[in-house]
Every structure is written in C-alpha cells, then in structure tokens.
Amino acid sequence: MSNSQSWIKRGLTHVAKTYGRYPLVAASGEGCWLTDIDGKKYLDFLAGVAVNNLGHCHPEVVAALQDQAGKLLHCSNFFHIPQQIELAEILCEHSFGDRVFFCNSGAEANEAALKLVRKYSLDNHGDDRIEIITGKNSFHGRTIATISATDQEKISTGFGPLLPGFKYVPFGDIEAIKATISSKTCAIMLEPIQGEGGINIPPEGYLQAVRELCDQNGLLLIFDEVQVGLGRTGKLFAYQHDGVEPDVMTLAKALAAGPPIGAMVVREKYATALGPGTHGSTFGGNPLLAAAGVAAMKIYLKGSVLKNSVTMGDYLKAKLEQLQTKYTFITQVRGRGLMVGMELTIEGGEIVKTALERGLLINCTAGKILRFVPPLIVTQQEIDQMIEILDKIFSEIRTGE
Ligand SMILES: *Cc1c(COP(=O)(O)O)cnc(C)c1O
C-alpha cells in the first residue's frame, strides 16, 4: 500500500465525513505546485479555494509566522495586540473602512456583519427593521445564519428552522431588489461576483444601482469579498472595479495567504453599533495570524501580484476561449482577473477527477462550471501546461453528438 493509500484509509475512519475528498494526500507546496505524500506533483489551479493567492508557503509569510511564533502565539483580546492593530491600519488605509473586527473565517466575518446591521438598525430604527436582502445562489458560509442567508437548498436542507429575516433576489436584477425593499429592510448583502454560485458577474452598473437604492432607503450595504477580495480580480478589493463602496466588507480566505483569519471592515458611523461586550472571538486577530496577515498585505500592496492577476487572467481567459472554439460542450468563459469560470453543457465532476489523476487541480462549482482560481503569481508557462492537460481531457470526452 502506498503512503497515500494508507493515509486515505485512516482518514476515512475517524475524520468527519463532511467532505467528499479526492484521493490526494497533501504533503508540501511551493508556488503554484502541491506535492502529495508519495512525491507526485500537482499544478494547483484551486489554491486552497482562492486562499493561497501568493502561492504555497510564500517565504515572507512563512518568515513572519516563524518570527512571531517564537515571540507570542496567542494573547487574549482583553489586551492590545500590535500585529492586529497594524493589520487594521493597513486595511483601513487601503479601503473605505474605518474599523476592523477580526475573526477566523469567512462565515464568522459574515456573522459579524449580520449582527452589526441588525444592531445598528435596532439602535436607529426600532425593532421591526430586521430584513436583509441577499442574492439567490449566493454563498456566505456554513453557520446557521450564513446558510440562512442563501436560498441554496443543497446547503441548508436538514438544518431548519433557519434564521428568519432574509429575502432572496436573483443576482444582477436591480428591479427585483426594488420590488423586495420594504419598511422592514435594513441591509443588502451581496458578493460583488458570486463565487460558489458559478463565477457570476453582475451586469454593468448593477452594484452602483444597488448602492443608490441603499442610499435612498437608508440601508446598509454589505459586500462579501471573502473570495473576490485580496487581488483575486486584479484589484485589492473587487468593489474597486465598480466605483462603489460598501458600508461593510467581509474578508477571509486570502487575507493571510494561507493561515486562517477573517475580518469585517466597516465605516465608523456603523461600527459604533458593536460596542464593548457585544461581539467577540477568542482567536480573532491573534498575534500569529495577524502577523501573517500583515506580511501578506504588504505583498499585495506592492502591486506586482495584482498586475499579474490582470495580465495572467486575460491570458488564461484567452486560452480557455480558444478551447471553447474547439469543443461544443463549452458554452462560456467568464471572469475577472484570476477568478475564471468555464460553463459547460455537461457535468464537470468527471473532468475534475481526471485532471487530478493527470496532475492538475481544478474544481467544479454549481454543477457545470469549471473554476480556475490559481495563485496570483501563476506564470504563462504554467497556464500553458494547464491548458495542455485540459485540452487532452476535453479531446477524450464523448458527448454523444
Ligand atoms: C468561502 C466563502 C465564505 C465562507 O468562508 P469560510 O472561511 O469557509 O467560513 C463566505 N463567503 C464567500 C463569498 C466565500 O467564498
């Protein structure tokens, strides 16, 4: 039995079965490459689901962790934490925000945002303005509140009763939002580009129109940038493409380029709703993870990684579009920066499995959309290698035409 096989056997015995895992046992990573326990190398166009934006084990992030690990691993939020303060300063200096609440994941960042808008609304408008409008097919996490925030049954079935107070609208449809806003609405929460929902880019002008509706009706606007933020789309934050600013933004995935950290960034006017004792997290913004966040942010802010996200994103899209001219089962290539989806007329699951066997990591979301979210440091040569593997797999597909 190979090392991988024996780990897989053990993994199936005591680890919760919440994931349908592929037969890969991860051992190490460098740049855009992941190596398994038997030494096989994989070209990683999944990047831990848009987490490893700087590639695996970026030396500056690793050095920050090593340095901080020898000084102080953890310290309660009862006290001031320099690394956390520095990360908050960086995030505010480079966004619309004035204050940051730190947590450990995307779902927690969204929980914080949901608590904040409810509390702000209660403090300012009384207790019946509690409804939050969210996008159909959105994804905001796996806690009870965040599964309630999407209408996706595959995520929420079996966990009811869900949290009341959410209204769902088709993503990209401004009229639907107008028709849904009522005297009970307090906020609108959207992903600027839907990730798990299938790399759905809203029509031009949509986010501006949503911002205007929020202003006209006194609603808070939350952007979930957990997947699209931190250079993924070619800008530090995806909202910067659209010339609009939210009131609250949630971040996680790539914030420390690997280590788990989440954040809710908010305008001062609304931040006051969460005073001492109203919300918290034991680990949130702890010295170790915040140090990694500072190191990662400094690299994003140098700019070359973001630029590469734009140029390599365009290159990747052009290459995928070439494949589209060859294969009739490809219906669309879409994306922004290095957040790219390829829509198929067939299920993508088998393609993902075959790619894995051939040393390529991609994934499939919303059934028929192949998702490409490589590290933002990916090279043209690596994209060419990826395309070659994919082209070969596509050429072997029998669609029964
Ligand atoms: C991944 C994701 C989340 C959830 O993040 P977790 O860290 O898994 O809790 C929330 N929103 C979006 C848009 C995401 O892509």
Side-chain angles (χ1 to χ4, degrees), residues 274-331:
L274 293 182
T278 53
H279 194 46
S281 163
T282 299
F283 289 125
N286 107 346
L288 185 70
L289 302 171
V294 169
M297 283 304 298
K298 284 185 177 164
I299 302 165
Y300 293 132
L301 289 169
K302 279 188 199 156
S304 63
V305 171
L306 270 60
K307 234 181 254 159
N308 198 59
S309 176
V310 175
T311 51
M312 287 304 113
D314 287 345
Y315 185 74
L316 171 61
K317 259 176 283 174
K319 283 285 177 180
L320 292 172
E321 276 160 6
Q322 279 175 16
L323 291 183
Q324 187 183 352
T325 63
K326 264 175 95 172
Y327 301 104
T328 54
F329 55 81
I330 303 172
T331 53

Side-chain angles (χ1 to χ4, degrees), residues 161-174:
L162 298 179
L163 190 70
F166 290 99
K167 294 275 179 198
Y168 316 108
V169 292
F171 185 64
D173 180 349
I174 197 71

Side-chain angles (χ1 to χ4, degrees), residues 268-280:
E268 179 68 13
K269 180 176 174 198
Y270 307 114
T272 49
L274 293 182
T278 53
H279 194 46

Side-chain angles (χ1 to χ4, degrees), residues 105-108 110 139-142 191 196 224 226-227 252-253:
S105 68
E108 281 175 75
N110 287 327
F139 183 78
H140 299 294
R142 296 285 195 161
E191 296 156 83
E196 302 305 304
D224 177 343
V226 170
Q227 187 162 155
K253 291 196 164 87

Side-chain angles (χ1 to χ4, degrees), residues 348-365:
E350 282 304 313
I351 295 168
V352 172
K353 267 190 213 159
T354 309
L356 180 95
E357 284 162 21
R358 299 187 189 178
L360 169 66
L361 306 183
I362 52 173
N363 104 313
C364 175
T365 182

